[in-house]
Amino acid sequence: MSPKTQIIKGFLFSTVMLFSALCFAQNNEQALKEVNEIALQMFTDMNNRDYNAIIDMTHPKVFEIAPKDAIKDVFKSMFEGNEDFSINIPKTVPNYKLSEVFTNEKDSVKYVFVSYDMKMDMIFHKQEFDDEAKAMMKTMMASKGMDATFKTNNALDIFMKDRITIILKDNHTNNKWVMVNYDADSPLFYNIVPASLLESAKTYNQDLMLLRKKEDE
């Protein structure tokens, strides 16, 4: 092969690689733009207590495990409380962060992590806590990444650090972005997403906790 031919081939290879990189970057930029719009809509629907809209954004595999009415009741209980307790979640759009766009061709899944902090007030209607019970409640919530402060014997403020919602597309969503909340302790979460995403979510969550630890020191 002549030096001239080698130069031409090298130039063509570099051009192809550069074009591929540009296309990849543009695709990811567009995906992040779409996900940002989805995230804003998600918080807006939560503020409006639009449970039907939230359900419409939820990963369809959730409804293979539990019917929509049951999921809707969970959302209503979370935002409105029930006879045992009341919850007040401020109607606000938190300062959220988007991760990079992750793609796993093997599992045909593309996803972005949305991380944010949340606050809420909680009042128990049928229960009061003595000092020992308060300490146990605070310890239990701390194990879930929640800081609890009792205002009275039955009311507390809760600060939830680094909540993660995953916005994704896969073979079950008909090319539509949907959401699922990250919960490392939930069998439901493990039944919905592939192992590759589970591993990635675990790493992302650990990185957030490490960053929080460094910021707090």
Side-chain angles (χ1 to χ4, degrees):
M1 183 182 299
S2 69
K4 183 177 180 179
T5 302
Q6 289 178 333
I7 292 173
I8 292 173
K9 285 191 172 183
F11 174 76
L12 290 174
F13 177 77
S14 299
T15 301
V16 170
M17 293 300 294
L18 177 61
F19 180 75
S20 298
L22 287 173
C23 288
F24 180 78
Q26 289 174 345
N27 289 338
N28 280 355
E29 183 179 352
Q30 178 60 30
L32 283 175
K33 181 180 178 181
E34 293 173 1
V35 168
N36 187 58
E37 293 174 353
I38 294 291
L40 281 172
Q41 188 61 52
M42 175 182 71
F43 291 120
T44 299
D45 291 338
M46 289 180 178
N47 290 338
N48 293 335
R49 308 304 190 241
D50 190 340
Y51 307 117
N52 290 327
I54 296 172
I55 286 174
D56 189 53
M57 295 174 65
T58 300
H59 196 291
K61 285 192 73 176
V62 170
F63 309 118
E64 296 177 6
I65 302 168
K68 288 186 178 182
D69 287 344
I71 299 298
K72 186 174 181 178
D73 288 342
V74 170
F75 283 128
K76 290 186 69 174
S77 179
M78 181 174 66
F79 286 105
E80 299 176 8
N82 53 45
E83 63 180 13
D84 295 316
F85 58 83
S86 298
I87 294 177
N88 175 46
I89 300 176
K91 294 183 178 182
T92 184
V93 176
N95 293 322
Y96 62 90
K97 298 179 182 178
L98 302 182
S99 72
E100 64 182 283
V101 180
F102 296 91
T103 302
N104 188 297
E105 300 292 347
K106 178 183 176 182
D107 294 319
S108 301
V109 61
K110 178 179 288 189
Y111 55 96
V112 176
F113 298 118
V114 184
S115 57
Y116 50 93
D117 297 335
M118 285 185 65
K119 295 179 180 180
M120 71 179 186
D121 304 324
M122 191 171 188
I123 300 175
F124 290 89
H125 300 310
K126 300 179 180 180
Q127 184 178 5
E128 292 193 355
F129 297 82
D130 58 20
D131 290 343
E132 182 180 358
K134 288 177 183 177
M136 290 180 60
M137 174 68 80
K138 292 175 71 172
T139 299
M140 181 186 71
M141 289 193 167
S143 70
K144 303 294 184 181
M146 303 180 188
D147 292 335
T149 303
F150 277 88
K151 298 183 293 183
T152 67
N153 288 338
N154 69 327
L156 60 161
D157 293 330
I158 301 172
F159 178 58
M160 296 170 280
K161 300 175 287 187
D162 299 322
R163 302 292 94 183
I164 298 174
T165 295
I166 306 167
I167 297 180
L168 71 150
K169 291 180 180 180
D170 62 19
N171 288 332
H172 301 277
T173 69
N174 295 320
N175 203 39
K176 174 186 174 183
W177 290 106
V178 299
M179 68 176 186
V180 59
N181 287 323
Y182 172 70
D183 186 351
D185 299 323
S186 170
L188 177 64
F189 176 66
Y190 278 75
N191 285 330
I192 294 171
V193 301
S196 61
L197 197 160
L198 289 172
E199 292 174 348
S200 183
K202 181 179 179 180
T203 300
Y204 188 77
N205 185 49
Q206 289 174 337
D207 289 344
L208 286 178
M209 290 192 294
L210 178 59
L211 180 60
R212 177 80 66 168
K213 176 69 174 177
K214 290 180 178 178
E215 290 175 347
D216 292 342
E217 289 182 345

